[in-house]
């Protein structure tokens, strides 16, 4: 019903991390088996995940730098996806893959983010975030989904 609300009724959707993963197909399944199937993509983890796995690091959190149209931001990443394949790239990870993206899907606006701009300071324990809170960016993404207004792409 969520998929129907977005595609037919024009409800906006914003998904951070797991909320971004579920907009795809999830492990090659069809939308009726897993995920919302808003994008015909099985999103991979951002490449940092494979480094953590190779190192045996189970705390797959890191501060990552993303590039947006208006500059760079440090965001908390917690095992989120790379979003290549979503048409409107808003931000890119340092390796050039899509970190935050947007698209019209049917009548709705969908905004997805691999990293967590909504992360409270407690989630960033043990990390340095020179910019502080990223809630302004999170709110911009949420407002875009609600209002159906596209954010400038890269």
């Amino acid at each position: 019903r969520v998929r129907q609300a977005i595609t037919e009724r024009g409800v906006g959707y914003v998904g951070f991390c797991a909320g971004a993963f579920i907009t795809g197909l999830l492990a090659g399944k069809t939308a009726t088996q897993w995920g919302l199937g808003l994008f015909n993509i099985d999103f991979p983890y951002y490449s940092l995940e494979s480094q953590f796995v190779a190192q045996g690091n189970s705390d797959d959190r890191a501060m990552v730098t993303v590039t947006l149209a208006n500059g760079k931001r440090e965001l908390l990443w917690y095992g989120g996806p790379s979003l290549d394949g979503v048409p409107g790239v808003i931000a890119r990870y340092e390796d050039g893959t899509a970190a935050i993206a947007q698209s019209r899907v049917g009548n709705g606006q969908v905004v997805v983010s691999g990293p967590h701009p909504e992360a409270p300071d407690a989630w960033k324990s043990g990390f340095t975030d020179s910019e502080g809170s990223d809630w302004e960016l999170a709110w911009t993404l949420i407002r875009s989904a609600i209002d159906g207004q596209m954010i400038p792409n890269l």
Side-chain angles (χ1 to χ4, degrees):
R1 293 187 187 228
V2 172
R3 183 175 198 269
Q4 183 179 21
I6 294 165
T7 60
E8 294 177 16
R9 296 187 181 152
V11 170
Y13 177 91
V14 63
F16 302 119
C17 195
F21 272 120
I22 69 166
T23 62
L25 298 178
L26 295 179
K29 305 293 185 185
T30 66
T32 57
Q33 292 172 308
W34 301 98
L36 299 173
L38 298 171
F39 301 108
N40 193 25
I41 302 166
D42 187 5
F43 294 115
Y45 284 98
Y46 172 48
S47 61
L48 195 55
E49 180 72 13
S50 61
Q51 294 173 30
F52 279 110
V53 169
Q55 296 167 358
N57 186 347
S58 61
D59 182 17
D60 55 351
R61 294 181 308 141
M63 294 301 294
V64 295
T65 301
V66 300
T67 302
L68 297 116
N70 62 353
K72 294 183 184 257
R73 295 291 293 246
E74 290 179 333
L75 300 174
L76 179 71
W77 173 84
Y78 205 157
S82 172
L83 299 165
D84 286 338
V86 178
V89 177
I90 298 169
R92 292 194 181 277
Y93 292 113
E94 291 178 291
D95 69 357
T97 60
I100 305 173
Q102 65 189 342
S103 182
R104 299 289 298 170
V105 178
N107 294 321
Q109 172 83 352
V110 176
V111 181
V112 287
S113 177
H116 286 273
E118 85 291 3
D121 290 339
W123 291 10
K124 299 176 187 178
S125 175
F127 296 105
T128 301
D129 183 358
S130 60
E131 300 154 349
S133 172
D134 297 301
W135 290 351
E136 180 182 320
L137 175 58
W139 184 241
T140 298
L141 301 176
I142 293 165
R143 289 298 319 172
S144 172
I146 292 170
D147 295 340
Q149 298 296 315
M150 298 294 267
I151 296 170
N153 293 336
L154 288 179

